[in-house]
Amino acid sequence: MNTPLAVAANENLAEISNVLIYSSMAVYMLAFFAHIAEWTFGSRSKVGRTAAALTARAGAPAVRVRAKGGGTAVLDRPEVVTRSAPGTRDVPDGPGAAGGTEKGDLYGRIAVSLTVLAFLLEAAGVATRALSVKRAPWGNMYEFSITFSTVAVGAYLVLLALKKNVRWMGLILVTSVLLDLGIATRWLYTDSDQLVPALDSYWLWIHVSTAIICGAVFYIGAAGTVLYLFRDSYENKLAGGGTPGRFATSILERLPSAGSLDKFAYRINAAVFPLWTFTIIAGAIWAGDAWGRYWGWDPKEVWSFVTWVAYACYLHARATAGWKGRKAAYLALFAFACWIWNYYGVNILLNGKHSYSGV
């Protein structure tokens, strides 16, 4: 039984959690501006341009340049490499948002440092929220959202720590996290409270936590897929002799090649798909304990299964010759759209047994 002192302590913890979440939003905003500065001031250096876009082509027409002393030197004409899909293009990755410059790299490091600080503040806010209710901190949409963005940023920082080339995702990630937290604090906020009996189960720790992890990692894969489509169009235009606009060139030439982005998105989605399979199985077991049936075609159950089918089709399409590249990418984005609908649309617009979780 909660004493007045315990209730007051829990309310204080809930208030501290809110302060930490808002503080993390402020730091994420600073990280956003730092990432903008990285892209703005990280113009590509001569060395970066040469490494990222040019290769020497054996037998190419020679270029004669005037050397010191009045003589001439003969150089091979460089070839602009424009494609990176297996067997058709072979493009090296771009130099990243920093553009290979010291100034751009400085802003990028500041942005990453601010992102780490914001992540720690947000994670502390999630943990404090859990302490205020003495349960898993994802019993409603507000708690799910703040945990979702925390896990997404954590996954990004883990990839950075593993020396993966993902700093180009920083601006997109921070922007979407600010959007997620803005929606959560403005429209989804719910006061700390205990769960209804059906949710008060150890399966909450298992089923919902894996759903959050899957969604966060699926988001990173979707971001890579979107950038793949833009970069692939850019490379196609270059291969066809076209001239992309100055803004598109400034951004897209610094990204990894289309082939690298495509491979990145595929590996991310393939790695987390088994966990999504486990999430659905765990949900069915929990439904059996709570409602006496494992499957009842509840809207949440249906759309979880539709999402699973969509990602399964995407992974299968990657192994099918006619569905590689852009077709498979569109399917991956459709699968992630199903996940987003399953979270926002099903929870808010459709009625079912999961509706009692509220917002």
Side-chain angles (χ1 to χ4, degrees), residues 61-102:
V63 179
R64 295 182 180 275
V65 297
R66 187 172 300 279
K68 293 182 179 179
T72 59
V74 179
L75 304 177
D76 288 333
R77 182 182 299 277
E79 176 189 7
V80 178
V81 184
T82 58
R83 196 164 180 91
S84 186
T88 51
R89 277 185 291 185
D90 187 16
V91 181
D93 293 335
T101 65
E102 291 185 8

Side-chain angles (χ1 to χ4, degrees), residues 48-270:
R49 288 196 301 271
T50 303
L54 304 176
T55 59
R57 181 174 60 186
V63 179
R64 295 182 180 275
V65 297
R66 187 172 300 279
K68 293 182 179 179
T72 59
V74 179
L75 304 177
D76 288 333
R77 182 182 299 277
E79 176 189 7
V80 178
V81 184
T82 58
R83 196 164 180 91
S84 186
T88 51
R89 277 185 291 185
D90 187 16
V91 181
D93 293 335
T101 65
E102 291 185 8
K103 188 173 184 180
D105 183 66
L106 174 62
Y107 282 114
R109 291 179 182 276
I110 292 174
V112 171
S113 298
L114 289 170
T115 302
V116 171
L117 176 58
F119 165 76
L120 294 175
L121 288 171
E122 187 180 9
V126 172
T128 308
R129 176 82 175 194
L131 292 174
S132 71
V133 289
K134 306 297 189 296
R135 59 167 173 79
W138 40 77
N140 50 62
M141 288 187 68
Y142 168 75
E143 295 173 354
F144 190 104
S145 294
I146 62 176
T147 307
F148 170 86
S149 56
T150 303
V151 174
V153 176
Y156 165 73
L157 295 177
V158 167
L159 291 174
L160 283 178
L162 294 176
K163 307 299 183 182
K164 302 298 182 181
N165 178 23
V166 294
R167 207 166 84 182
W168 44 267
M169 187 182 290
L171 178 59
I172 297 174
L173 180 66
V174 169
T175 303
S176 57
V177 166
L178 283 170
L179 178 62
D180 174 73
L181 292 177
I183 293 173
T185 54
R186 177 63 178 83
W187 289 290
L188 302 179
Y189 181 78
T190 304
D191 290 332
S192 298
D193 201 356
Q194 295 304 312
L195 299 173
V196 297
L199 279 179
D200 191 10
S201 169
Y202 62 89
W203 283 105
L204 180 67
W205 291 92
I206 301 173
H207 171 64
V208 183
S209 65
T210 55
I212 292 173
I213 294 172
C214 289
V217 180
F218 279 147
Y219 163 74
I220 291 177
T225 300
V226 170
L227 292 179
Y228 156 74
L229 291 173
F230 281 110
R231 173 74 189 206
D232 187 62
S233 296
Y234 173 77
E235 293 179 8
N236 282 334
K237 192 166 188 177
L238 289 179
T243 304
R246 184 175 181 181
F247 177 78
T249 299
S250 175
I251 298 298
L252 296 175
E253 71 180 355
R254 301 192 222 172
L255 292 175
S257 68
S260 294
L261 289 169
D262 185 41
K263 185 183 298 183
F264 169 80
Y266 168 69
R267 288 179 174 176
I268 288 290
N269 289 326

Side-chain angles (χ1 to χ4, degrees), residues 225 309-318 323 325-338:
T225 300
V309 171
Y311 274 110
C313 290
Y314 162 72
L315 296 176
H316 177 70
R318 289 291 308 229
W323 276 84
R326 299 183 71 87
K327 289 182 179 180
Y330 292 137
L331 189 52
L333 292 181
F334 171 76
F336 183 69
C338 290

